[in-house]
Amino acid sequence: MTGEPLLVLCALGPEAWALRGGDWAGAIGGSPVLVRTGIGRGRAGQVARTLLSTGDYGALVVAGFGASVAPGTAPGEVIVADAVRDSEGGRFALDSAPTLAKALQACGLTTHTGLHHTADHVVRGSQRRALHARGALAVDMEAAAVLAARAEIRPELPAAVLRVVVDTPERELIRPGTLPAGVRAWRALRAAVPALTEWHRLVATAAPRPPQPSTLPQEAS
């Protein structure tokens, strides 16, 4: 099992506040490395590249608030990405999504698993319906850039993406942080922290170990 810490990236100050105050007891490698990237693919990608190039981490999580594009979801529910797609058609698979979803459900959080779409702008109205028609459940503005940096620098690093729903197709919000839906999402994100530590433990246990040098005598040539 790796002793390297979990790297957690989020875009916004309220997200960092919620995550920092969660229960990280028992986290592998001690407290996570929690970094706020700022909003947008450019900033998130640049921060991720710097961190992944200069630090050692046991796993990577992109976590925060997001918009649901799926009718019937509610603020405070969690959408875990089994893949993230960008606006250019790039796609990043996340094989351990079921493991994280199960851990979140064990924390009492209503959880959905599916495709996330990373956009370059705030998506509303008909654009959300179009994304859902193409298979997406949630939309954000950072995750694909982070996963692109991972694919370039640390492709073997276990990774996960989750978004706590703030607004939905039925009720789009202009300033979610000032409304009850924002409070529910903030509480859910903080409550998700033990699931992140459990996911990290499980993927670290399952990660393949580097090959060890043989102790057998070598045959003479």
Side-chain angles (χ1 to χ4, degrees):
M1 181 181 295
T2 179
E4 297 167 337
L6 179 64
L7 174 61
V8 183
L9 301 182
C10 62
L12 303 173
E15 296 168 339
W17 181 25
L19 290 162
R20 189 172 292 113
D23 181 7
W24 293 100
I28 297 173
S31 299
V33 178
L34 175 59
V35 178
R36 177 184 170 188
T37 66
I39 297 173
R41 289 203 296 175
R43 292 180 179 180
Q46 182 177 7
V47 170
R49 282 183 175 82
T50 299
L51 290 167
L52 293 173
S53 297
T54 58
D56 293 323
Y57 310 101
L60 166 68
V61 170
V62 181
F65 308 135
S68 170
V69 299
T73 49
E77 296 181 355
V78 184
I79 303 179
V80 176
D82 58 11
V84 176
R85 180 182 64 204
D86 62 26
S87 299
E88 293 73 41
R91 189 181 179 102
F92 305 92
L94 296 165
D95 296 337
S96 64
T99 301
L100 177 56
K102 184 176 180 180
L104 289 162
Q105 290 163 356
C107 291
L109 296 167
T110 300
T111 305
H112 312 271
T113 303
L115 176 68
H116 287 208
H117 179 89
T118 296
D120 293 317
H121 59 279
V122 176
V123 175
R124 300 192 182 279
S126 61
Q127 290 182 317
R128 290 198 188 189
R129 293 191 291 273
L131 288 176
H132 184 54
R134 294 174 55 206
L137 294 187
V139 61
D140 67 32
M141 296 176 65
E142 295 83 28
V146 173
L147 295 178
R150 165 187 171 257
E152 178 183 324
I153 299 167
R154 290 284 307 276
E156 79 291 350
L157 188 68
V161 174
L162 69 89
R163 294 296 177 185
V164 179
V165 175
V166 175
D167 62 331
T168 69
E170 296 87 353
R171 182 171 294 180
E172 296 182 3
L173 304 178
I174 304 301
R175 293 185 296 169
T178 65
L179 299 173
V183 174
R184 287 196 293 273
W186 187 90
R187 289 174 176 168
L189 185 57
R190 175 163 286 191
V193 165
L196 300 182
T197 63
E198 174 66 3
W199 171 82
H200 183 198
R201 183 184 67 80
L202 292 171
V203 296
T205 302
R209 297 178 180 274
Q212 299 298 314
S214 173
T215 59
L216 296 175
Q218 297 297 311
E219 182 178 352
S221 58

